[in-house]
Amino acid sequence: MTKIPPYKSKLLLGQILINKGVVTVSQLDQALAEQRKTGQMLGTVLIRLGFISDEQELLPIVAEQLNVDCVYPRSLSINPEILSRLPVKAAKYYKVLPIRFEQDGLVVAMCNPGDVRVIDELATIAKSKIIPALASEREILESIQEYYGVGAETIEKMMTGMQRVQEDSAVESIDEGSSEASISHFLNQILFQAYKDKATDIHIEPFEDQLRIRTRIDGVLYDVKSPDNIRYFQDTLLSRIKIMSNLNIAEKRLPQDGRFKVKAQEQDLDLRVSFLPTPYGESCVLRILNSVNLYSFPELGIVGSEKKQLDQLLNKSHGIIFLTGPTGSGKTTTLYSCLAQLNNEDSKIITIEDPIEYQMRGVIQIQVHPQIGLTFAAGLRSILRSDPDVIMIGEVRDSETAQISIQMSLTGHLVFSTLHTNDAVSGITRLMDMGIEPYLIASSIEGFIAQRLVRLLCPSCKRPAQITSDIIRDFNLNEQEQHATVYEAGGCKNCRMTGYWGRQAICEILILSDEIRSMVMRRVSGADIKQKAILEGMKTLRRHGWEKVASGVTSPSEILRSTQENTL
């Protein structure tokens, strides 16, 4: 039987907390009374009642009482050789984590270091003496997922099943659902972790000797720690996704697109799926869409003068409003926010999209199907016969769609759409490249809105930064702006050591005034039109970004990363 080191202190936990001035006698009495009712541990009750701020304050005191070390697994770097001493199944079952070797044994983080039975069983599994250390249950469970990988226990069980079949090849499994159930569980774990991390995309990418899984969080791709053995279940995993998306599981040579829905914590999620063939199997991308929540302009980060300009455009009775920017800049989300503001009983709104990303109550939405002849242009001709007030076109991709959109605006409709351009003024050039005459652009378009998404600083770890000469030059700061307080990214466990959490939009709104319309008619260069728009009060992307920096919500480096030099 393993012996636990004797208590350093013979005092009870409550008496130690009183001696250290952490709680008062009356608070302890109240907590003990509550403990007798609930049966919970005293520390848990003290935190729930608010007498102790958090477990980080309590852990060192409990560790001192038990005469064990207090450890924080999330701040450690653990060698894979140490992790291999305990299989993930045991780590999750007992809620423990091996952290290091000492001369006389294996140090294991536990939330209950006094449990002799668990320590004995761990010693048998690890074939080593166990030295218990105290850690919070939450940190242990988070670290198990971080170090062993998402779904590691599921893959371990599936590998055990494969080994059994290989050892007795004469035995054929008739439980057809067993493998699928396991891979379903693994896929659910990946989806739920992405949902918790607020990821927008999941990338499943096959290579010669591995299957890499990555998630895009706040516009940046991060590797998902997953078991190496997942590559043996590549086909099973992708087939499961195809079944859920109602796609052809036998077709692996051609691209396929689909979608399916899942529920996470009572939240409906819509997932768009895209498969591409590669030399090592199919690559799959799942885009996670929130099919319920639409964002207000302040939630998007559009406030102040930008919101006033956007409201001014939305009050127009006819004309075209284009949102521009690269893929992933939030154009569609902003479009839906505009439609949500216009969506009322007095208006008929029809959209034509490829694909429909958000389901909106009260809005007629059409999905493009080029295979059967339902293109943007064909759909737009039919929409005109349905007497709409507001029309949203997912994207203007060709001259025909652009021409019909202009005809709609000239006949009294308010039209929204998107273009792929780098800034607002480039939208004019893009339409001219499509063959649209300048007089039609000048007479039909009310405004262009260029947009980018920038990461927000984590409020828990952001830190003050110096305004350097490079920042002054890159943002063209005046004397007063050079004395602003700015911040830079730090890094903590709340933001996964990135320094950022969440995103907001920065935008550049070009409203076509009479003078700018005249310049368009004369085919004046985009650079000259931009200068004129700035003189009329247009803020460029970088200038709007500087306002976000000065308000302390993002960093100078993030704005410079998201905008080009010529966007000033």
Side-chain angles (χ1 to χ4, degrees):
M1 178 72 70
T2 301
K3 293 184 178 181
I4 300 296
Y7 285 175
K8 185 177 182 180
S9 171
K10 299 296 183 180
L11 297 176
L12 296 175
L13 176 60
Q15 188 61 53
I16 295 175
L17 293 172
I18 291 174
N19 293 344
K20 290 181 175 292
V22 177
V23 298
T24 64
V25 174
S26 62
Q27 288 174 333
L28 178 61
D29 289 341
Q30 185 179 342
L32 289 171
E34 182 70 17
Q35 183 191 30
R36 285 191 289 272
K37 294 179 184 176
T38 63
Q40 294 178 315
M41 296 179 67
L42 178 60
T44 303
V45 175
L46 288 167
I47 293 173
R48 181 165 56 82
L49 293 177
F51 299 151
I52 294 179
S53 60
D54 57 31
E55 59 190 12
Q56 304 299 330
E57 182 180 1
L58 183 64
L59 283 175
I61 298 172
V62 176
E64 180 181 344
Q65 183 198 28
L66 297 177
N67 193 24
V68 297
D69 287 340
C70 179
V71 296
Y72 302 94
R74 294 298 301 276
S75 63
L76 301 176
S77 177
I78 303 176
N79 191 305
E81 182 184 353
I82 295 171
L83 294 170
S84 67
R85 298 300 293 269
L86 283 179
V88 61
K89 182 178 179 180
K92 290 194 73 172
Y93 180 77
Y94 294 113
K95 297 179 183 178
V96 299
L97 183 74
I99 55 176
R100 65 174 180 269
F101 282 120
E102 289 188 355
Q103 289 184 350
D104 52 350
L106 178 67
V107 179
V108 177
M110 308 174 63
C111 53
N112 185 8
D115 194 328
V116 178
R117 180 186 62 83
V118 170
I119 292 174
D120 281 340
E121 292 177 4
L122 292 176
T124 301
I125 296 171
K127 298 179 181 179
S128 171
K129 176 183 176 183
I130 300 298
I131 303 171
L134 179 65
S136 75
E137 180 179 327
R138 177 182 57 83
E139 279 211 32
I140 289 173
L141 293 177
E142 289 177 354
S143 298
I144 288 173
Q145 181 164 290
E146 177 182 349
Y147 287 110
Y148 286 100
V150 178
E153 184 181 8
T154 303
I155 298 301
E156 186 176 272
K157 290 179 181 178
M158 293 168 65
M159 287 300 298
T160 302
M162 284 181 61
Q163 290 167 2
R164 290 194 186 118
V165 171
Q166 291 169 357
E167 289 169 3
D168 188 1
S169 58
V171 178
E172 181 178 351
S173 172
I174 60 173
D175 185 4
E176 296 179 354
S178 59
S179 176
E180 182 174 321
S182 296
I183 206 66
S184 298
H185 184 55
F186 175 76
L187 177 60
N188 290 342
Q189 290 173 304
I190 292 291
L191 293 175
F192 187 68
Q193 186 61 41
Y195 166 75
K196 290 200 301 182
D197 291 339
K198 297 184 179 180
T200 56
D201 302 270
I202 302 170
H203 295 249
I204 302 173
E205 303 163 323
F207 296 96
E208 184 175 9
D209 56 353
Q210 73 168 136
L211 183 69
R212 182 170 69 176
I213 301 177
R214 297 190 291 173
T215 54
R216 189 180 296 279
I217 303 172
D218 295 336
V220 179
L221 279 170
Y222 297 95
D223 276 325
V224 174
K225 175 69 174 176
S226 57
D228 291 338
N229 291 333
I230 184 58
R231 67 182 185 273
Y232 297 119
F233 303 96
Q234 172 181 326
D235 290 341
T236 311
L237 175 61
L238 296 180
S239 292
R240 175 61 186 165
I241 296 172
K242 285 182 178 180
I243 290 170
M244 296 178 71
S245 308
N246 198 26
L247 298 176
N248 183 357
I249 63 172
E251 181 56 73
K252 299 181 180 181
R253 301 166 300 169
L254 295 174
Q256 292 192 77
D257 296 305
R259 67 192 309 157
F260 64 92
K261 286 188 177 182
V262 295
K263 179 171 285 190
Q265 295 181 338
E266 302 305 317
Q267 177 70 63
D268 288 331
L269 301 178
D270 199 356
L271 288 97
R272 276 173 42 196
V273 181
S274 176
F275 282 89
L276 291 174
T278 78
Y280 301 108
E282 291 176 289
S283 169
C284 177
V285 176
L286 299 95
R287 170 161 286 192
I288 304 172
L289 302 171
N290 186 325
S291 60
V292 177
N293 289 343
L294 293 174
Y295 299 96
S296 65
F297 292 150
E299 288 174 327
L300 293 173
I302 301 174
V303 295
S305 60
E306 284 74 29
K307 183 178 182 300
K308 289 180 181 178
Q309 288 179 306
L310 196 46
D311 287 338
Q312 176 186 339
L313 289 172
L314 294 182
N315 286 329
K316 300 287 185 180
S317 61
H318 60 273
I320 305 178
I321 300 169
F322 278 109
L323 271 87
T324 75
T327 301
S329 59
K331 301 186 298 297
T332 303
T333 301
T334 302
L335 269 182
Y336 277 103
S337 297
C338 293
L339 293 184
Q341 186 161 321
L342 296 173
N343 188 14
N344 55 57
E345 294 181 357
D346 301 330
S347 298
K348 170 93 170 187
I349 302 176
I350 302 179
T351 74
I352 180 165
E353 309 168 60
D354 184 21
I356 297 172
E357 296 197 9
Y358 298 86
Q359 303 286 342
M360 290 189 69
R361 183 181 296 274
V363 175
I364 305 299
Q365 297 176 272
I366 303 171
Q367 168 73 55
V368 169
H369 287 291
Q371 299 88 345
I372 60 174
L374 181 53
T375 62
F376 278 110
L380 287 173
R381 295 189 187 95
S382 299
I383 286 174
L384 279 175
R385 295 190 288 272
S386 297
D387 189 28
D389 298 297
V390 179
I391 300 165
M392 193 268 272
I393 306 165
E395 182 183 349
V396 171
R397 302 175 179 174
D398 52 53
S399 176
E400 186 179 13
T401 305
Q403 291 280 5
I404 298 173
S405 303
I406 288 172
Q407 292 171 13
M408 287 181 162
S409 69
L410 293 175
T411 53
H413 300 93
L414 185 59
V415 181
F416 293 87
S417 190
T418 65
L419 280 173
H420 285 279
T421 65
N422 290 325
D423 59 7
V425 173
S426 297
I428 298 172
T429 307
R430 176 81 178 105
L431 290 173
M432 288 185 179
D433 289 343
M434 290 183 181
I436 307 300
E437 291 295 332
Y439 76 89
L440 290 175
I441 297 174
S443 60
S444 63
I445 295 175
E446 296 296 332
F448 293 90
I449 304 166
Q451 182 172 300
R452 297 290 188 280
L453 293 177
V454 296
R455 294 179 295 171
L456 303 180
L457 288 167
C458 172
S460 301
C461 62
K462 69 177 184 181
R463 57 196 182 202
Q466 296 293 324
I467 297 182
T468 63
S469 57
D470 288 341
I471 292 176
I472 294 172
R473 181 195 69 240
D474 291 334
F475 286 97
N476 193 24
L477 302 182
N478 59 37
E479 183 66 28
Q480 183 178 356
E481 291 170 336
Q482 294 176 24
H483 296 90
T485 301
V486 301
Y487 296 87
E488 64 183 3
C492 66
K493 62 183 181 182
N494 293 330
C495 60
R496 299 164 50 256
M497 303 308 293
T498 64
Y500 296 95
W501 186 249
R503 289 190 292 177
Q504 278 190 358
I506 58 173
C507 54
E508 173 181 295
I509 302 178
L510 170 64
I511 296 178
L512 271 66
S513 64
D514 290 340
E515 291 194 38
I516 291 179
R517 292 181 196 277
S518 176
M519 296 174 75
V520 172
M521 294 276 287
R522 303 196 308 269
R523 296 182 180 267
V524 174
S525 70
D528 290 339
I529 293 176
K530 186 168 189 173
Q531 289 301 319
K532 178 61 178 176
I534 292 173
L535 291 175
E536 291 183 352
M538 181 185 81
K539 291 180 189 173
T540 63
L541 286 166
R542 187 165 289 186
R543 174 51 53 178
H544 190 201
W546 169 253
E547 292 183 0
K548 300 283 187 185
V549 171
S551 65
V553 300
T554 191
S555 64
S557 60
E558 175 64 11
I559 298 300
L560 295 175
R561 181 188 71 86
S562 304
T563 60
Q564 299 179 352
E565 291 185 16
N566 62 2
T567 60
L568 187 63

